[in-house]
Amino acid sequence: MEFPHCQAVPLAGAAVLPPVLFRREILARVDAGWRMLALFGLPCPGGVGLCCLLGRDADGRLAFLRQVPAESYPSLTPDCPQAHLFEREVHEQWGIVPQGHPWLKPVRFTGCPARPEEPRPAPGVTDHFRLRGEEAHEVAVGPVHAGIIEPGHFRFQCSGEDVYHLEISLGFQHRGIEARLIGGPDKRTIHFMETLAGDTTIGHSLAHAALVEALTETAVPARGRAIARIALELERLANHTGDLGAMAGDVGYQPTMAYCGRIRGDFLNLTGLVCGNRFGRGLVRPGGVAFDLDKPTIRELLSRLELTRRAAFGAAELLFLSSTTLARFEGTGRVSAETAREIGLVGPPARACGLPRDARHAFPLPGAGPKDIPMQLHDFGGVYARALVRRLEMEASLDFIHDALIGLPEGPVRQLPAGGLPGGMVAVGLTEGWRGEICHVAVTGDDGRFAAYKVVDPSFHNWFGLAVALRGQQISDFPLCNKSFNLSYCGHDL
Amino acid sequence: MLNILLERLRQGKRTVAFPAAMPPLPPRFRGLPVLAESPCAAGCASCAGACPTGALGADEQGLYLDLGRCILCGTCAEACPGRRVSFSRDHRLASSTRDGLVLRPGGRLPHVAPLEPARRKLFAKSLRLRQVSAGGCNACEADTNVLTTIVFDLGRFGIDFVASPRHADGVAVTGPVTRNMLEATLGTFAAVPDPRVGIAIGTCAISGGLFDGSPETTGGATPHLPLDLYIPGCPPHPLTILDGLLRLLGQQTPPPTA
Ligand code: SF4
Ligand code: SF4
């Protein structure tokens, strides 16, 4: 079943396919340039059926496919590597076996509710890829890392300083959000959206809002949508600035690191000016935003934006003029466009390999268009390209915010969605967060409550990209490569 | 080189004057909740019904708001027909006891008592903390991390975050302590030599916050570790965290600006 973004469709419109056809259809579409946006289980009479959401960047079409409930099916991963983590996730959550999957390891170490007789694995304890040989050695770090950073477990298989493979075990941040969204929406739902990944509060709450608006056919007032989009770009600016600073810090370039640490906060404070909270808590709501901007606040935003622009570009310029920094950035942690396409990278790491993937362009929100914010691409595929794409995106975001503040449409900022949700529908909310594409998919039951709510943070696609980027690199380049992706642990673990 | 010096001049000195002066907070900042002493309408539970975390309620002593559960979302202020709940712009939310976070109309404000003399003597000039991130949303970590930037320059107070618990004087936990992080959290605390301090940063770490009640979380750090400081907020503003840390070490901090 095909449909455009921001339009809810009846679940009954998707034929329930037998595994062979489901698989064939997915593979054919992936061959034709579609991407897998989500794969998840939907409880239905007779068991748990698989649902797959695919998207086509070229024209923003979405396709929703369903498979009959089955305890096993032929794995997609050997022919479609971007399915690898989704299939492991479905296996862990529902016990459905993708036959022929190369390695069905736990994703979040929760055990499988469908197989209660099996003991819950200890977090991080599973078979790992091992390199054997006299010169091979293994470096294991985490879950608690040096510094103020989320937990994860990393194992490097090395020969001397060279990394052959990096394996990443996550799940430590798993707090069971998706399970608690079932039966919603309720008074907690929007707050869960804001804390799926706290540094992406706007990105996730906007994806959720788009989904609910599609379900309830709510037309968001232009002013409300513009304020939400301003906040989305402020979030990108704060985090891209922080990332440039962190990358500078990892190669020991202090000036940019010190300035960016401060400038990141200046951008967060602009979001604080909009809604009182530096992360944008309480701002985006289905139907628009909860806070309007008066003229003095707009003036204040504009003047602080200009000051912060100068500071940010000054700090970035030092970084890109420093030959010692560039020597560490260039050629480090490369991912080829072909690999990126195969494993389904999104966001700046994808655009840094030359893949034109940006939900603001492919799947714009109603009232937004692909021309609003130019897409930034580079094709070196490594740390340098990921840094440069961020720097260019900052410029595009600043221009967008400036124009949006000056041309803010008049009118209300929110149209409350009327009534409850319609039953038996599928809806999707897609936004381009600062890390990349954020995908929310919901299926409502006959009672108009969420029967499934799938959240795909960009980190879910990109963690494996980091592992691939580190192959053949020096282990000492890990911090730099890691920062150049800067992925979310909690957004992955949910 | 010249570039670097010129840019240094342009960027200027940006460390806030805190605690000598209070930096401005945004006009819409939601700080310490205030409960008015006026009575509730009979049978009204509008606020409690609207609160996403069960922070608000009424018991035999009347209306209360548990700041240790509150995410400062502001919903209750709108939900209360009698406008009994409002939000001040006071950033000082920290408390040295869990009970001290339960607010009542006209009741006492959260209070931070300095560490007792033995530990205060040891840590007043140098406090090294190991931060443990245990299942939150990473915003508490982010606003703790900014304390180490030039804006707050935590090092000038002798406070620092260190990589190893063996080098630390205490642990600062964020997040609701997920099942998957419980062992690592306990292990990290155990690896810090005594005497040590325990700090919960953020509502999640105090009570589980928004994620309390999930079978995947364990109620934050409170049930697992001896804690000396509770810093509420979702996430707490960096100044809320800094204010709490400084008062724990016996320093004076400024009140909010009017
Ligand atoms: S501000 Fe606090 S007490 Fe009020 S509704 Fe939100 S969480 Fe509950
Ligand atoms: S208290 Fe709030 S901000 Fe802090 S980790 Fe928990 S959900 Fe995130």
Side-chain angles (χ1 to χ4, degrees):
Chain A
M1 169 172 71
E2 280 189 29
F3 55 107
H5 184 218
C6 297
Q7 184 186 315
V9 285
L11 179 67
V16 184
L17 305 170
V20 179
L21 285 184
F22 180 72
R23 176 190 159 79
R24 192 183 297 162
E25 176 87 21
I26 291 174
L27 294 181
R29 285 188 188 258
V30 168
D31 267 352
W34 293 68
R35 275 188 300 124
M36 187 176 282
L37 305 187
L39 180 74
F40 59 98
L42 175 67
C44 50
V48 175
L50 288 183
C51 300
C52 181
L53 180 75
L54 297 141
R56 187 162 62 190
D57 294 300
D59 60 359
R61 295 290 286 173
L62 298 170
F64 188 78
L65 308 173
R66 289 182 71 187
Q67 180 185 279
V68 291
E71 284 177 8
S72 69
Y73 66 98
S75 170
L76 294 156
T77 301
D79 298 302
C80 174
Q82 55 183 297
H84 76 109
L85 193 56
F86 285 118
E87 294 199 308
R88 278 168 57 188
E89 183 187 38
V90 168
H91 175 248
E92 182 173 63
Q93 282 178 345
W94 303 105
I96 301 171
V97 182
Q99 279 165 340
H101 189 287
W103 208 344
L104 275 179
K105 283 183 273 201
V107 179
R108 303 191 176 97
F109 295 85
T110 56
C112 176
R115 287 168 286 151
E117 66 290 351
E118 288 177 20
R120 181 179 167 119
V125 178
T126 180
D127 284 344
H128 291 278
F129 179 84
R130 298 295 279 274
L131 191 68
R132 293 190 208 284
E134 281 206 348
E135 294 190 352
H137 66 103
E138 182 180 80
V139 179
V141 295
V144 180
H145 302 293
I148 302 175
I149 175 172
E150 296 181 85
H153 180 64
F154 298 144
R155 279 175 190 245
F156 301 86
Q157 308 296 326
C158 308
S159 162
E161 276 288 291
D162 296 334
V163 178
Y164 277 79
H165 184 64
L166 159 64
E167 191 164 336
I168 302 169
S169 280
L170 301 177
F172 297 92
Q173 297 280 75
H174 180 59
R175 49 219 185 279
I177 296 184
E178 276 185 348
R180 302 186 73 202
L181 294 173
I182 307 297
D186 57 33
K187 62 186 176 183
R188 290 195 180 197
T189 306
I190 188 70
H191 304 290
F192 283 137
M193 297 302 154
E194 294 184 332
T195 52
L196 287 163
D199 50 24
T200 316
T201 294
I202 301 292
H204 275 290
S205 50
L206 191 55
H208 171 71
L211 181 149
V212 173
E213 288 149 13
L215 276 171
T216 51
E217 296 181 20
T218 304
V220 179
R223 189 176 177 89
R225 180 56 15 106
I227 292 174
R229 292 184 65 206
I230 289 169
L232 183 69
E233 298 311 315
L234 280 175
E235 187 167 86
R236 190 180 328 277
L237 282 165
N239 286 292
H240 279 9
T241 307
D243 286 350
L244 287 182
M247 282 189 255
D250 272 330
V251 298
Y253 192 66
Q254 295 287 335
T256 302
M257 183 188 89
Y259 303 145
C260 285
R262 185 267 290 182
I263 300 160
R264 172 182 166 277
D266 290 347
F267 282 125
L268 292 178
N269 288 340
L270 292 184
T271 303
L273 192 60
V274 175
C275 68
N277 181 287
R278 287 155 47 92
F279 294 88
R281 302 282 159 89
L283 179 60
V284 180
R285 291 292 177 269
V289 291
F291 294 91
D292 199 355
L293 297 175
D294 57 12
K295 290 224 166 66
T297 309
I298 294 175
R299 269 198 302 276
E300 168 92 8
L301 281 169
L302 280 168
S303 80
R304 280 164 66 176
L305 198 68
E306 185 52 35
L307 289 176
T308 316
R309 171 202 293 264
R310 273 187 234 151
F313 287 178
E317 188 178 323
L318 284 187
L319 179 76
F320 285 99
L321 283 178
S322 153
S323 53
T324 48
T325 303
L326 294 181
R328 289 289 308 279
F329 279 23
E330 283 172 356
T332 305
R334 287 191 67 178
V335 181
S336 71
E338 193 189 336
T339 306
R341 194 175 292 115
E342 264 197 346
I343 63 179
L345 287 193
V346 295
R351 295 193 283 279
C353 314
L355 297 188
R357 296 182 172 179
D358 186 329
R360 290 170 296 178
H361 289 247
F363 310 103
L365 298 168
K371 297 231 169 66
D372 298 353
I373 303 183
M375 193 183 325
Q376 307 298 337
L377 292 172
H378 198 284
D379 58 3
F380 280 15
V383 170
Y384 174 73
R386 292 190 281 274
L388 187 64
V389 163
R390 282 184 174 83
R391 163 65 184 76
L392 296 171
E393 290 188 1
M394 286 167 63
E395 199 157 340
S397 296
L398 280 159
D399 290 347
F400 171 81
I401 297 174
H402 180 265
D403 294 350
L405 281 172
I406 286 184
L408 208 57
E410 294 299 325
V413 293
R414 188 173 183 200
Q415 168 71 50
L416 266 182
L421 305 182
M425 301 293 279
V426 182
V428 176
L430 283 157
T431 51
E432 187 71 15
W434 62 276
R435 281 195 185 92
E437 179 182 275
I438 295 168
C439 175
H440 289 204
V441 199
V443 178
T444 56
D446 293 336
D447 54 358
R449 310 218 143 254
F450 294 135
Y453 196 104
K454 180 85 213 109
V455 174
V456 188
D457 187 85
S459 307
F460 192 84
H461 297 286
N462 285 4
W463 273 110
F464 192 62
L466 171 61
V468 171
L470 214 70
R471 287 187 186 163
Q473 302 293 304
Q474 301 255 301
I475 192 165
S476 52
D477 277 332
F478 172 70
L480 180 59
C481 286
N482 188 25
K483 289 304 171 17
S484 75
F485 278 82
N486 190 9
L487 301 174
S488 174
Y489 299 71
C490 55
H492 169 280
D493 293 346
L494 299 175
Chain B
M1 190 64 204
L2 198 58
N3 283 333
I4 299 178
L5 291 174
L6 277 177
E7 190 55 36
R8 173 72 192 82
L9 280 177
R10 276 195 289 266
Q11 298 276 349
K13 177 175 186 301
R14 297 302 293 261
T15 305
V16 291
F18 191 89
M22 182 64 204
L25 291 168
R28 285 167 171 169
F29 177 74
R30 287 182 295 280
L32 188 70
V34 180
L35 302 179
E37 294 197 51
S38 53
C40 292
C44 173
S46 305
C47 63
C51 176
T53 61
L56 265 176
D59 56 13
E60 56 288 354
Q61 294 173 52
L63 184 66
Y64 69 85
L65 188 158
D66 181 358
L67 207 46
R69 303 184 72 84
C70 173
I71 58 169
L72 293 148
C73 66
T75 308
C76 49
E78 283 154 44
C80 173
R83 297 271 169 259
R84 290 195 68 192
V85 193
S86 60
F87 291 84
S88 74
R89 301 188 54 242
D90 194 342
H91 62 285
R92 296 170 304 174
L93 307 181
S95 165
S96 37
T97 60
R98 177 69 184 85
D99 289 348
L101 294 173
V102 181
L103 308 178
R104 300 206 177 255
R108 59 204 160 90
L109 301 178
H111 172 70
V112 180
L115 287 171
E116 80 289 345
R119 281 191 298 167
R120 186 167 159 194
K121 186 157 171 283
L122 277 174
F123 301 139
K125 296 219 168 92
S126 167
L127 178 67
R128 310 272 129 158
L129 294 171
R130 172 63 250 200
Q131 200 276 334
V132 180
S133 168
C137 76
N138 198 31
C140 279
E141 288 83 345
D143 265 354
T144 304
N145 225 344
V146 296
L147 294 179
T148 64
T149 63
I150 50 174
V151 180
F152 299 97
D153 191 16
L154 195 61
R156 71 195 151 122
F157 305 107
I159 309 173
D160 209 354
F161 287 94
V162 293
S164 167
R166 302 278 184 214
H167 303 159
D169 305 314
V171 161
V173 180
T174 52
V177 186
T178 54
R179 274 180 79 177
N180 285 350
M181 267 307 283
L182 181 56
E183 193 187 330
T185 306
L186 296 176
T188 305
F189 188 76
V192 176
D194 241 345
R196 56 198 165 186
V197 297
I199 299 170
I201 299 179
T203 300
C204 277
I206 297 173
S207 66
L210 201 48
F211 309 114
D212 190 34
S214 162
E216 292 291 335
T217 62
T218 67
T222 306
H224 307 297
L225 305 179
L227 295 173
D228 301 289
L229 185 63
Y230 301 81
I231 308 178
C234 182
H237 192 279
L239 287 171
T240 302
I241 305 174
L242 186 54
D243 166 79
L245 291 174
L246 293 184
R247 284 195 284 153
L248 186 70
L249 299 180
Q251 296 200 32
Q252 295 285 324
T253 58
T257 42

